Amino acid sequence: MTTDKREASGFSGEANAITRRTAMRGAATLAAVTFGGALVVPQVSHAFCDEPDPLWAHYVSVNDQVVRVKSTIGQPSTKVFTRLIGSRREQKRAKVHPVVFVPDAGFPMEYLEPLQALAESQRQLLFYDPCGSGASKLSPENATQTYSVQASIDELDAVVRSRLGPDLARKSGGIHIWAHGTGARVALLWAHALGASQSRPDVKLDDLPCVRSLVLESPAWSYPDFVLETPANLIGGGSIASEKLRACAVEALSAANPAALKAIGSARLPQWPVNTQPGTLPPVLVLESIRDESIDSPESRQQLEMALRSSVKVERVSVQGANHAPHLDRNNEQLLRATVDFLDG
């Protein structure tokens, strides 16, 4: 990414910048190891997921920060690299709300790069590299990090509250969540936990956290063992050689965390709370590839359906796509349009 020195738009504090989008990695990993404050770093890598840069990408605001994650299960704190795209000022002007992207277990934000096209709708988009993947490299004190669903929930909670705290409140309209694969499990359980906090007498109603909706692409509660053998199974199919994948997918494969994938992707616990009442969750859009091979177990499907029954409304859309990750398909306009229509609805 190269940095354009024009006036900053929509950000406050030291990290103000407007960056011209040529790609999303480059020096990010090197800069992230400093783990200090806000980062806006010049980077050069592939074109836009090996496609020509769209016009909007040359003028979008990009703000990188490292977020400290405190564990609720007794593990050492970790540091997670995050990227916030878009201007809060433009978002407010467009009367839309931010979207947080939750990747599949052990995958960095890189493979979600095509979804940055949603920035054209003036929404702020928040991406992050889960611990041990991408630019969120493990420090020496975290060398024995244990990966779990709850640790991933802690991570999502810290990232959202740190980067989008004011927007999360009900009085600001709340946020949307977009999740892929087992990221859907993390997002659903986190949204459920937020819903359980709505009855706190010590917090004003307008200050309570609010998730407006969830978009789940190829959602999975867990994966069978054969899927966990290689990260390629989750973004291109095990039969597709990595050199034939899109550039951002290739980068994601090289920076993925197989240990996290196996630990989280095979976890049986936690399960969906059985006493959850219908209407507990916000509206949900399920994006399912019509070419996606069945890679989840009956137990996984059962857990997902239990969770979805807790939503006030569930929409399902079958999309053209590349197996389990249709957003990586070169013709992903249907997926993007379905997402925008749902968020605008």
Side-chain angles (χ1 to χ4, degrees), residues 216-290:
L216 310 179
E217 180 195 28
S218 303
W221 200 260
S222 60
Y223 295 123
D225 290 342
F226 78 89
V227 175
L228 302 174
E229 292 174 358
T230 171
N233 287 334
L234 296 177
I235 60 174
S239 62
I240 300 179
S242 61
E243 62 268 16
K244 294 183 180 179
L245 293 173
R246 297 184 69 171
C248 53
V250 175
E251 292 189 24
L253 285 172
S254 65
N257 184 345
L261 171 61
K262 291 181 179 179
I264 299 169
S266 63
R268 298 179 63 87
L269 297 175
Q271 296 187 334
W272 185 254
V274 294
N275 296 323
T276 303
Q277 296 297 315
T280 304
L281 290 177
V284 176
L285 172 65
V286 180
L287 300 170
E288 300 168 310
S289 171
I290 60 176

Side-chain angles (χ1 to χ4, degrees), residues 26-50:
T29 301
L30 178 61
V33 299
T34 65
F35 291 126
L39 300 173
V40 178
V41 292
Q43 300 163 53
V44 177
S45 182
H46 296 286
F48 191 76
C49 203
D50 74 9

Side-chain angles (χ1 to χ4, degrees), residues 291-304:
R291 302 207 313 258
D292 189 10
E293 299 176 0
S294 178
I295 62 173
D296 58 348
S297 64
E299 181 182 7
S300 174
R301 290 192 292 272
Q302 180 185 37
Q303 288 291 313
L304 276 172

Side-chain angles (χ1 to χ4, degrees), residues 100-107 111-112 128 130 149 152-153 156 177-191 214-223 234 261 264-265 304 324:
V100 181
F101 293 83
V102 185
D104 209 341
F107 271 86
Y111 85 117
L112 298 176
Y128 65 96
V149 175
S152 298
I153 294 172
L156 173 60
I177 299 290
W178 195 104
H180 175 238
T182 56
R185 180 183 188 177
V186 173
L188 286 164
L189 288 169
W190 181 69
L214 297 116
V215 179
L216 310 179
E217 180 195 28
S218 303
W221 200 260
S222 60
Y223 295 123
L234 296 177
L261 171 61
I264 299 169
L304 276 172
H324 193 58

Side-chain angles (χ1 to χ4, degrees), residues 3-336:
T3 302
D4 192 329
K5 298 297 184 180
R6 288 170 292 184
E7 179 183 357
S9 170
F11 289 108
S12 60
E14 298 179 58
N16 285 0
I18 287 189
T19 53
R20 184 172 66 83
R21 174 69 170 74
T22 57
M24 283 299 187
R25 185 60 59 187
T29 301
L30 178 61
V33 299
T34 65
F35 291 126
L39 300 173
V40 178
V41 292
Q43 300 163 53
V44 177
S45 182
H46 296 286
F48 191 76
C49 203
D50 74 9
E51 297 282 345
D53 289 350
L55 180 61
W56 62 263
H58 289 254
Y59 304 99
V60 67
S61 301
V62 179
N63 179 287
D64 293 344
Q65 288 186 21
V66 173
V67 171
R68 181 176 292 274
V69 180
K70 294 183 178 180
S71 173
T72 63
I73 52 177
Q75 294 192 58
S77 62
T78 56
K79 295 171 182 176
V80 173
F81 181 82
T82 68
R83 170 163 286 138
L84 184 61
I85 298 174
S87 160
R88 192 165 190 258
R89 183 174 62 188
E90 295 302 322
Q91 175 179 264
K92 187 175 181 179
R93 184 180 299 165
K95 298 181 179 180
V96 291
H97 302 277
V99 184
V100 181
F101 293 83
V102 185
D104 209 341
F107 271 86
M109 68 175 83
E110 198 72 45
Y111 85 117
L112 298 176
E113 186 172 286
L115 297 169
Q116 290 169 16
L118 295 173
E120 198 168 10
S121 65
Q122 306 304 315
R123 292 176 173 84
Q124 284 189 295
L125 310 178
L126 177 58
F127 297 84
Y128 65 96
D129 287 335
C131 182
S133 70
S136 298
K137 300 300 183 184
L138 290 177
S139 55
E141 62 266 29
N142 300 121
T144 58
Q145 174 75 17
T146 300
Y147 303 103
S148 67
V149 175
Q150 184 56 51
S152 298
I153 294 172
D154 291 344
E155 196 171 67
L156 173 60
D157 187 74
V159 167
V160 173
R161 293 182 187 276
S162 176
R163 302 305 313 269
L164 294 173
D167 296 288
L168 180 59
R170 184 182 298 273
K171 62 185 176 185
S172 298
I175 64 171
H176 302 282
I177 299 290
W178 195 104
H180 175 238
T182 56
R185 180 183 188 177
V186 173
L188 286 164
L189 288 169
W190 181 69
H192 175 269
L194 289 185
S197 70
Q198 301 299 301
S199 59
R200 288 181 54 184
D202 57 325
V203 180
K204 294 180 179 179
L205 181 63
D206 281 351
D207 293 330
L208 288 170
C210 174
V211 176
R212 296 180 62 85
S213 70
L214 297 116
V215 179
L216 310 179
E217 180 195 28
S218 303
W221 200 260
S222 60
Y223 295 123
D225 290 342
F226 78 89
V227 175
L228 302 174
E229 292 174 358
T230 171
N233 287 334
L234 296 177
I235 60 174
S239 62
I240 300 179
S242 61
E243 62 268 16
K244 294 183 180 179
L245 293 173
R246 297 184 69 171
C248 53
V250 175
E251 292 189 24
L253 285 172
S254 65
N257 184 345
L261 171 61
K262 291 181 179 179
I264 299 169
S266 63
R268 298 179 63 87
L269 297 175
Q271 296 187 334
W272 185 254
V274 294
N275 296 323
T276 303
Q277 296 297 315
T280 304
L281 290 177
V284 176
L285 172 65
V286 180
L287 300 170
E288 300 168 310
S289 171
I290 60 176
R291 302 207 313 258
D292 189 10
E293 299 176 0
S294 178
I295 62 173
D296 58 348
S297 64
E299 181 182 7
S300 174
R301 290 192 292 272
Q302 180 185 37
Q303 288 291 313
L304 276 172
E305 290 306 315
M306 286 177 58
L308 293 177
R309 283 198 293 271
S310 302
S311 171
V312 297
K313 181 180 66 172
V314 177
E315 296 182 25
R316 298 177 185 268
V317 176
S318 295
V319 296
Q320 298 284 345
N323 295 327
H324 193 58
H327 70 271
L328 285 170
D329 196 272
R330 295 181 186 278
N331 298 312
N332 64 0
E333 291 85 0
Q334 181 194 6
L335 180 145
L336 294 173

